[in-house]
Amino acid sequence: MFDPGQEMLSAESSVGDSNGINLMEFSDEILLHILSYVPCMDLVLNVKRTCRKLATLCLDKSLTHTVLLHKDYQVNKDKVKQLMREIGREIHQLDMAGCYWLNSSTIDHIIRCKNLVKLNLSGCPLTSLRLSKLLSAFQHLRSLAIDVNPGFDASQLSSECKATLSRVLELKQTLYTPSYGVVPCCTSLEKLLLYFEILDRSREGFILSGQLMVGESNVPHYQNLRVFYARLAPGYVNQEVVRLYLAVLSDRTPENLHAFLISAPGSFAESGATKNLLDSMARNVCLDALQLPKSWINGSGLLQHLKFNNPFYFSFSRCTLSGAHLILRVINGGKDLKSLTSLNLSGCIHCLSSDSLFRKAEDDIDSSILESLVVSCCNLRHLNLSAAHHHSSEGLGKHLCQLLARLRHLLSLALPVCSITDVTNSDRPPVRSVTNVVPQGLGKKIRIAVPTYTKNFLELSSQKSQSSVFWTLLKNLLFLKHLELIGSSFSSAMPRNEPAIRNSLPPCSRAQSVGDSEVAAIGQLTFLQSLTLAQLPNILTGSGLVSIGLQCQHLRTLSLANLGMMGKVVYMSALMDMLRHCKCLRDLRLEQPYFSANAQFFQALSHCSSLQRLCIISRSGTLQSDAVMSFMANCREVIMCHMFMGESLTACKNLQQSILRSFQADRPALNVVIFPLLHEDLTEVIRDVPMMHLDEITLFKSRVAEEPPNLWW
């Protein structure tokens, strides 16, 4: 007869014997540290059954206190039910963000977690009644993240639920419909994070209004608020709704407010209420973090009136702030600002120049302003200078790369491609040979002789890169984890809520010399985890990619867009060679016209054994259906496959249905969208993509310093 106890003893005695070292002889402290790297689901459902000692250790409070199911794509209803049954009462923090594939009845099982203090259900399907039932059981809850979907009705929340909400201190709320959600019930709020994802039109084509429904006009309670953050997706409805949230703040600004952040794309006009709010903030609060819509800052004297304490985050994205204004008003004339760890100057075209009045966007920067910034903010961890022309002038030690090399603590960095060019190289006219012609834009496709990728090209690129200022910069930023090099005029072919873009602007003339040798220099970054390269026109073979694949063994996220000439994918051979070495790669995004997703490409991609998400965007691109099916069968971790290419609608639908039919049962989180890039219904298809995938990989954007660090747990 089967004896589970005897099997445990046998397993315990055999652990590690092959090398003469028994893992079970380690101290409990060491074993607990090792087990802390194992997902809680695996600990409880698998490791716990290995032996009696591990069975005890796996239930230690240090391992069951926090359960992270976010991006655990193998989670299903049975696993959640079993996990909650075994350790539900021990869980104090539960993160289920983005578990879009779990149905509402599965979420019901977390009601066993009576001692929950923090709960993240963003992206999970929840009705008002289910939310009411859950929250009624969580008397200790202090932090909550939820979605507010169409049909949400706050009147269905029970008195017990409202009592729980009244004790919540931190709320993250993603709105897909005009609503206050649960904000009016949260009378003790100290941190409020709002994500506005409301579309201007319904699925039926009706224009939506930003006015809140009757019964939604309960006044939010902001008197204890310390952090207010709002991120708006494109659309006028989102702007209308956020104004209603801000109206209460304008009446009485919280005394303890220390972080005020509003991220809004495009134009967001300042109203009378928001002007009153900003005036009140200037009089009554001292901030540590600030982000405002560009129209609220441009041309105003707001910054000279706001007071800052020990600021850790500033974002002036897309503002016309001049460098002189930045130094004088924000950095206090170059005084010590060691507290600042994150700075976003993306799209601030004049931020490194003394004056913006008579300056052209392509003029050289004032290196003294950048030097003041580097000296004052010497502890920066995250810096975004993308979407601008930051051209260095000749001067010993005054190049942008040389000055940034002093920021030894940087963990993430975003730069425009033209900013890393050596001044001497950029002054030389580009070679106009048949192997170096870069068409400006996406005009008529022409036949061009393309140099073939060879192994010794890698060595030549490495030798050339070691003499460049960019190589020197990366040599001094050895702990950099996230790097973005984005052309100053790059725009993705797939923007949000609009038809696909058919044409793109030509790259900056100074970027014409940035190519394979600069990419090869990135191979120095041993700890690199995320890399974005967009609009590098002088990529001839892609040999530098191989260097990255060989040396950056921690690389998890790779995004490549519009590299080399636009009429042909010149780096395909090198890319396939690179992918064979990317064992840790989880997310891959490729955006390139005329990309051929053929059998050879997918065979190379199959070496990426950890790959989970794949997105390919290609105008006039082609794919081989049988190669895609074979790839999906070989790479069992892949749960997202998005391809927007040049194939017919029928071919795309047939392939999408085949993938879902073959793999959905074994991969509960599988999300597949294969659709013609230039089809008129593209925006309708995109709206059904889970927000987690859409925001993190499908839509292109700069992510460095996008939000303050540790904004949410």
Side-chain angles (χ1 to χ4, degrees):
M1 187 175 178
F2 174 72
D3 184 356
Q6 186 63 37
E7 185 184 37
M8 277 193 170
L9 284 173
S10 176
E12 185 170 2
S13 63
S14 63
V15 175
D17 283 347
S18 60
N19 294 320
I21 299 176
N22 192 333
L23 186 63
M24 294 301 102
E25 293 178 357
F26 290 152
S27 66
D28 288 355
E29 290 76 12
I30 293 177
L31 288 174
L32 284 172
H33 181 72
I34 295 172
L35 293 174
S36 68
Y37 290 92
V38 181
C40 190
M41 187 72 77
D42 285 335
L43 287 177
V44 175
L45 303 187
N46 298 316
V47 181
K48 177 174 171 285
R49 288 163 173 73
T50 304
C51 66
R52 287 177 178 172
K53 184 170 185 176
L54 290 180
T56 301
L57 290 177
C58 285
L59 297 180
D60 188 87
K61 290 183 178 180
S62 65
L63 300 178
T64 59
H65 178 275
T66 301
V67 175
L68 306 177
L69 301 184
H70 175 58
K71 292 189 177 180
D72 188 345
Y73 299 119
Q74 298 303 316
V75 169
N76 56 34
K77 179 178 181 178
D78 293 337
K79 290 181 178 180
V80 171
K81 182 178 180 180
Q82 188 174 353
L83 183 71
M84 298 303 154
R85 186 171 60 243
E86 297 207 25
I87 63 167
R89 291 187 175 273
E90 306 300 324
I91 300 175
H92 287 72
Q93 300 184 19
L94 177 60
D95 186 358
M96 298 182 68
C99 292
Y100 55 86
W101 62 94
L102 297 178
N103 56 34
S104 299
S105 61
T106 303
I107 308 298
D108 288 344
H109 292 295
I110 69 173
I111 203 168
R112 291 176 176 267
C113 307
K114 303 294 184 181
N115 296 312
L116 269 183
V117 177
K118 292 187 175 184
L119 175 62
N120 192 341
L121 293 175
S122 296
C124 297
L126 271 181
T127 62
S128 309
L129 290 174
R130 273 203 157 86
L131 179 65
S132 178
K133 180 182 177 181
L134 284 176
L135 297 188
S136 298
F138 302 148
Q139 298 182 8
H140 305 287
L141 195 67
R142 297 296 180 268
S143 179
L144 175 66
I146 59 169
D147 291 352
V148 177
N149 292 296
F152 179 87
D153 186 357
S155 65
Q156 295 180 337
L157 303 179
S158 66
S159 57
E160 293 84 358
C161 171
K162 292 179 179 179
T164 296
L165 289 170
S166 69
R167 295 185 289 269
V168 167
L169 304 178
E170 302 176 348
L171 176 65
K172 178 182 178 183
Q173 190 169 258
T174 304
L175 293 131
Y176 294 95
T177 188
S179 172
Y180 276 131
V182 300
V183 172
C185 302
C186 301
T187 56
S188 304
L189 274 183
E190 295 181 3
K191 177 187 286 189
L192 177 60
L193 276 57
L194 299 168
Y195 293 77
F196 295 87
E197 297 289 344
I198 310 165
L199 297 174
D200 291 343
R201 291 179 179 270
S202 67
R203 291 183 182 277
E204 295 75 24
F206 299 117
I207 298 176
L208 296 178
S209 169
Q211 297 300 314
L212 299 184
M213 298 170 58
V214 176
E216 289 282 342
S217 57
N218 296 317
V219 178
H221 300 270
Y222 293 149
Q223 61 267 24
N224 299 317
L225 207 61
R226 294 174 56 81
V227 177
F228 180 89
Y229 175 86
R231 192 187 80 176
L232 285 67
Y236 74 92
V237 175
N238 290 314
Q239 295 184 9
E240 285 188 20
V241 177
V242 77
R243 290 187 195 280
L244 297 175
Y245 280 83
L246 292 173
V248 180
L249 273 177
S250 65
D251 292 336
R252 181 182 177 186
T253 307
E255 296 178 358
N256 295 322
L257 189 69
H258 77 94
F260 186 76
L261 308 127
I262 299 179
S263 173
S267 176
F268 184 21
E270 187 179 17
S271 65
T274 56
K275 189 177 186 304
N276 292 337
L277 168 61
L278 296 175
D279 290 342
S280 176
M281 287 171 53
R283 293 191 306 269
N284 302 315
V285 302
C286 198
L287 296 173
D288 292 331
L290 177 69
Q291 179 177 11
L292 295 174
K294 63 179 183 180
S295 57
W296 297 13
I297 294 179
N298 292 345
S300 74
L302 174 65
L303 290 179
Q304 69 186 60
H305 299 298
L306 288 175
K307 296 184 288 290
F308 302 105
N309 186 21
N310 292 305
F312 61 88
Y313 178 81
F314 284 140
S315 176
F316 301 111
S317 179
R318 306 290 173 182
C319 295
T320 56
L321 194 68
S322 71
H325 198 176
L326 177 69
I327 296 298
L328 181 63
R329 303 302 182 190
V330 180
I331 309 180
N332 301 320
K335 294 180 182 178
D336 175 34
L337 204 59
K338 292 181 179 178
S339 61
L340 194 67
T341 60
S342 187
L343 178 62
N344 189 343
L345 297 174
S346 171
C348 294
I349 58 177
H350 303 300
C351 68
L352 298 182
S353 301
S354 57
D355 187 12
S356 62
L357 196 57
F358 302 105
R359 179 183 182 271
K360 295 180 180 179
E362 298 81 6
D363 289 346
D364 291 345
I365 64 172
D366 184 340
S367 60
S368 65
I369 290 177
L370 179 58
E371 191 166 15
S372 297
L373 181 68
V374 168
V375 172
S376 302
C377 310
C378 57
N379 289 322
L380 275 177
R381 302 291 196 276
H382 315 281
L383 176 62
N384 194 329
L385 294 173
S386 65
H389 297 272
H390 295 316
H391 299 166
S392 298
S393 57
E394 289 193 65
L396 188 62
K398 299 299 183 179
H399 192 284
L400 177 140
C401 289
Q402 293 170 320
L403 293 173
L404 293 184
R406 302 181 191 178
L407 298 174
R408 302 296 181 89
H409 302 291
L410 277 179
L411 298 177
S412 61
L413 177 63
L415 294 174
V417 175
C418 55
S419 71
I420 69 170
T421 279
D422 283 280
V423 178
T424 53
N425 290 340
S426 64
D427 289 341
R428 290 200 302 262
V431 180
R432 306 299 295 177
S433 69
V434 293
T435 61
N436 199 28
V437 175
V438 183
Q440 305 294 303
L442 299 178
K444 184 178 178 181
K445 187 176 179 181
I446 57 177
R447 297 181 63 86
I448 299 175
V450 180
T452 57
Y453 161 70
T454 56
K455 302 293 182 180
N456 62 350
F457 204 98
L458 177 61
E459 184 178 348
L460 293 174
S461 296
S462 178
Q463 292 174 356
K464 179 183 176 183
S465 68
Q466 293 183 22
S467 62
S468 70
V469 290
F470 184 56
W471 187 89
T472 303
L473 169 64
L474 300 187
K475 180 183 178 182
N476 287 277
L477 304 180
L478 293 180
F479 298 103
L480 200 67
K481 294 183 178 179
H482 307 276
L483 176 64
E484 296 178 353
L485 286 181
I486 304 174
S488 51
S489 57
F490 174 76
S491 59
S492 174
M494 197 170 150
R496 184 79 181 272
N497 300 339
E498 301 171 17
I501 294 177
R502 287 165 168 76
N503 295 302
S504 63
L505 296 173
C508 171
S509 59
R510 288 226 188 170
Q512 296 287 356
S513 61
V514 178
D516 295 309
S517 59
E518 285 75 18
V519 174
I522 299 173
Q524 298 177 86
L525 302 176
T526 307
F527 301 101
L528 189 67
Q529 295 181 8
S530 174
L531 175 63
T532 297
L533 301 174
Q535 202 180 40
L536 276 67
N538 202 34
I539 295 292
L540 301 181
T541 65
S543 58
L545 295 174
V546 185
S547 176
I548 296 172
L550 287 169
Q551 300 176 66
C552 304
Q553 288 296 301
H554 298 283
L555 190 64
R556 294 187 173 192
T557 301
L558 177 63
S559 176
L560 305 177
N562 292 8
L563 304 186
M565 62 182 67
M566 302 299 287
K568 184 178 178 66
V569 186
V570 298
Y571 59 91
M572 181 62 97
S573 179
L575 174 63
M576 292 190 293
D577 203 354
M578 174 197 190
L579 292 175
R580 293 184 176 94
H581 304 289
C582 296
K583 303 302 181 185
C584 293
L585 191 66
R586 294 185 179 181
D587 296 338
L588 175 62
R589 185 187 191 275
L590 298 172
E591 180 171 343
Q592 188 82 29
Y594 304 103
F595 190 89
S596 176
N598 55 28
Q600 290 79 14
F601 166 74
F602 281 111
Q603 185 177 7
L605 189 58
S606 296
H607 287 83
C608 302
S609 54
S610 300
L611 192 69
Q612 295 177 333
R613 300 191 289 188
L614 171 66
C615 179
I616 303 178
I617 299 168
S618 179
R619 184 181 66 89
S620 302
T622 59
L623 58 85
Q624 293 182 9
S625 297
D626 54 345
V628 177
M629 293 298 292
S630 178
F631 160 73
M632 291 296 294
N634 293 330
C635 293
R636 300 181 180 181
E637 299 296 319
V638 175
I639 55 85
M640 191 206 89
C641 181
H642 291 179
M643 296 185 186
F644 303 95
M645 308 183 77
E647 300 288 353
S648 68
L649 180 61
T650 301
C652 290
K653 283 188 174 182
N654 289 340
L655 178 57
Q656 178 175 318
Q657 291 171 1
S658 296
I659 294 175
L660 291 172
R661 207 165 36 237
S662 301
F663 306 108
Q664 184 90 68
D666 296 328
R667 306 178 200 184
L670 185 63
N671 181 256
V672 182
V673 182
I674 301 177
F675 203 77
L677 177 62
L678 302 183
H679 197 282
E680 59 183 3
D681 293 333
L682 178 64
T683 54
E684 294 300 314
V685 172
I686 289 177
R687 71 186 297 171
D688 291 326
V689 174
M691 182 55 60
M692 179 176 70
H693 300 323
L694 193 66
D695 189 55
E696 293 179 1
I697 181 169
T698 305
L699 297 178
F700 184 95
K701 63 178 176 178
S702 177
R703 293 178 170 81
V704 172
E706 180 186 16
E707 295 180 343
N710 305 316
L711 184 62
W712 194 251
W713 60 283

